[in-house]
Amino acid sequence: MTLLPIPEAQARLFALGPTLPVEHAPLREATGRWAAADVFARRTQPAATLSAMDGYAIRFADLPGPWRVVGESAAGRPFAGSVGAREAARIFTGAGMPDGADTVLIQEEAGREGDGLMLTGEGPARLGRNTRVRGLDFLEGDLLVAAGERLTPARVALAATGGHGTLPVRRRVRVALAATGDELVPPGAPVSGLALPESNTIMLAAMLADLPVETVDVGILPDRLATMRDAFAGAAADILVTTGGASVGDHDLVRPALEAAGGSIDFWRVALRPGKPMMAGRLGRAVTLGLPGNPVSVFVTAVLFLRPLITAMAGARDPLPAVHRAILGEPLPANGPRQDYLRAELADGVVRVAAIQDSSMLRTLARSNCLLLRHPHAPAAAAGDSAEILLVG
């Protein structure tokens, strides 16, 4: 069977994902999600010219003074009058500039006795100094957040200042997680013989914690076709993720169980190391993603496929993980026909690959903060060469 290149597999996986409905979420619930439509300013910021410093609002033409103080302007309590020739108003940061005034003399360069005000420093060098003009940040109707951009804390604050109390986002993605294998026991349960504590779905849930998801724990499924079939059929989710049982052994039952439940396989086996036996398909409206059983394979396929699928369904404009550059700290041999993702550690711009890359070794993964990408048939690389990495720490 021909192995599917990673970019083609990602594109086909995205095409399987259903379009989720749009909802308007309160700002605190919208943070970390993606804008489902362009967000435009409903007001101008600042709405009027404000002072950027504590000091005195004056007319630039009246420099070098002196002036008579005729009032005070504070944030939320503007001076109701106007500033005339040789007049000044005490003003504070964020307060509206009074009518007639066009410049702020900062208090460190001013001396005051009663209502009298004089210049004690160099004074403002230009008209409008120490002010924030109306619309400096944005004007009503300006684009604040484009559709597909992530709603970071700064963008949510921008939308709030722009007059929004809710933002358009896609509904949260419902992800069902199922582990398969007779050898698995729940984390923390007594372990004897060759039993193994289940860690893959725990890891996956942690990897999705920063995404707009609702996770459903399907549990640990034994290697029984009927049990798997019924569990898969009953998992109400947008994405059904399985770990283990995705290869070709007699006890690898995920594919036949999905088909018995009414599902179909779109592709199986990707030109990837680790993670080759990954499969993807549909079960009703849900996308099915069958990940391998070895924990490092689960991690890598989740980075390359599960997280990007979720972010694409959530409305992200750029769902794929960002590729960064680093300097190789050691030589690497030529690569084979599959795209490799090697566990590695990045420090001070230099990346060093873990000595042992066995896909069962969680300890090596836990000590890594990046994956070093090696393209199919990449030639040997020398220390000091540029390398592509994905940050995962």
Side-chain angles (χ1 to χ4, degrees), residues 30-126:
T31 305
R33 297 159 82 170
W34 283 266
D38 290 341
V39 178
F40 296 95
R42 293 175 173 172
R43 57 179 297 278
T44 293
Q45 174 62 24
T49 299
L50 307 177
S51 176
M53 303 287 285
D54 292 342
Y56 294 88
I58 63 171
R59 302 193 319 174
F60 185 76
D62 290 339
L63 281 167
W67 302 267
R68 182 173 64 89
V69 178
V70 296
E72 179 180 288
S73 182
R77 292 184 290 104
F79 177 50
S82 62
V83 172
R86 300 286 180 175
E87 292 182 338
R90 182 75 168 111
I91 198 164
F92 300 93
T93 303
M97 289 289 288
D99 289 344
D102 53 29
T103 303
V104 172
L105 169 65
I106 61 174
Q107 62 186 23
E108 292 86 352
E109 296 184 341
R112 182 173 175 180
E113 291 184 5
D115 291 339
L117 180 69
M118 65 189 68
L119 180 67
T120 61
E122 294 184 359
R126 59 174 174 80

Side-chain angles (χ1 to χ4, degrees), residues 4 14 80 87 111 128 133 142 149 170 193 202 248 256 290 310 324 366 383:
L4 199 63
F14 293 162
E87 292 182 338
V133 299
D142 281 354
E149 288 187 329
R170 298 285 174 185
I202 302 299
V248 293
I310 291 170
H324 300 272

Side-chain angles (χ1 to χ4, degrees), residues 7-247:
E8 183 178 347
Q10 289 169 327
R12 287 173 63 167
L13 182 64
F14 293 162
L16 293 173
T19 300
L20 300 180
V22 175
E23 61 186 24
H24 282 77
L27 297 184
R28 286 182 173 81
E29 296 178 17
T31 305
R33 297 159 82 170
W34 283 266
D38 290 341
V39 178
F40 296 95
R42 293 175 173 172
R43 57 179 297 278
T44 293
Q45 174 62 24
T49 299
L50 307 177
S51 176
M53 303 287 285
D54 292 342
Y56 294 88
I58 63 171
R59 302 193 319 174
F60 185 76
D62 290 339
L63 281 167
W67 302 267
R68 182 173 64 89
V69 178
V70 296
E72 179 180 288
S73 182
R77 292 184 290 104
F79 177 50
S82 62
V83 172
R86 300 286 180 175
E87 292 182 338
R90 182 75 168 111
I91 198 164
F92 300 93
T93 303
M97 289 289 288
D99 289 344
D102 53 29
T103 303
V104 172
L105 169 65
I106 61 174
Q107 62 186 23
E108 292 86 352
E109 296 184 341
R112 182 173 175 180
E113 291 184 5
D115 291 339
L117 180 69
M118 65 189 68
L119 180 67
T120 61
E122 294 184 359
R126 59 174 174 80
L127 178 72
R129 184 70 173 171
N130 303 318
T131 67
R132 298 173 181 145
V133 299
R134 178 183 183 276
L136 175 66
D137 200 352
F138 54 82
L139 298 172
E140 182 178 355
D142 281 354
L143 177 66
L144 300 181
V145 183
E149 288 187 329
R150 194 160 198 191
L151 294 168
T152 61
R155 287 178 178 142
V156 169
L158 176 62
T161 305
H164 294 269
T166 64
L167 289 172
V169 294
R170 298 285 174 185
R171 172 178 58 75
R172 292 183 182 273
V173 184
R174 300 186 182 112
V175 182
L177 302 174
T180 70
D182 287 339
E183 76 280 13
L184 300 178
V185 298
V191 180
S192 61
L194 296 179
L196 178 67
E198 198 285 308
S199 62
N200 283 334
T201 62
I202 302 299
M203 179 173 63
L204 288 174
M207 292 178 72
L208 306 183
D210 66 320
L211 299 180
V213 300
E214 297 173 2
T215 56
V216 177
D217 183 10
V218 177
I220 299 173
L221 305 178
D223 292 323
R224 306 288 184 273
L225 182 62
T227 303
M228 286 189 190
R229 177 200 63 205
D230 294 345
F232 295 163
D238 302 307
I239 306 173
L240 169 62
V241 183
T242 65
T243 64
S247 192

